[in-house]
Amino acid sequence: MNIRITLPNGEATGEIIDSPAGRELLSALPLTLTLGDLFEREKMGPLPVALANVTDPIGAYTVGQIAYWAPSQDIVFFYADTGDLSIPEPGIVHLGTITTGLDLIAAGGDPFTMTIEKA
């Protein structure tokens, strides 16, 4: 399923995978969230409700990935490779990929507001 992400500096697009967590996120859209920057590699912010269907966590990320960090209910947008691609336990849950506008997410600020909706 395609999503549209509206940022203060423009618009990005992404694709959410067909998985239990992905479908759960899609059912919660539209969402307006406040995100911050972490480690100069990711923009992250809490979802209003935890995703319950989190399975198959992974211990590494890829640039452009949309993921979920369960301990703090955060949706995460990875925008840079800082040399260490590892993620601590319990790992992240892959939700999807940014297809356009990753540079806009990276330049979004700290903090900034974004709206995510179905495209």
Side-chain angles (χ1 to χ4, degrees):
M1 168 68 75
N2 292 327
I3 59 170
R4 180 176 41 251
I5 302 165
T6 304
L7 305 144
N9 55 347
E11 202 169 87
T13 61
E15 185 174 11
I16 301 300
I17 63 169
D18 185 13
S19 70
R23 288 188 296 275
E24 192 174 353
L25 174 64
L26 288 169
S27 72
L29 298 181
L31 290 171
T32 298
L33 306 169
T34 300
L35 282 77
D37 194 90
L38 185 63
F39 305 130
E40 297 181 346
R41 73 175 186 189
E42 62 197 73
K43 301 293 185 177
M44 41 69 71
L47 294 173
V49 177
L51 298 181
N53 294 307
V54 294
T55 58
D56 302 323
I58 55 177
Y61 74 92
T62 57
V63 173
Q65 183 176 30
I66 304 168
Y68 179 68
W69 174 250
S72 55
Q73 296 179 199
D74 285 333
I75 189 166
V76 185
F77 300 85
F78 291 97
Y79 67 85
D81 176 351
T82 57
D84 179 8
L85 302 177
S86 66
I87 301 292
E89 289 293 327
I92 55 173
V93 175
H94 178 70
L95 295 174
T97 306
I98 294 298
T99 52
T100 66
L102 185 60
D103 57 331
L104 298 173
I105 293 171
D110 184 21
F112 69 102
T113 301
M114 73 163 46
T115 299
I116 308 169
E117 58 193 328
K118 296 175 187 175

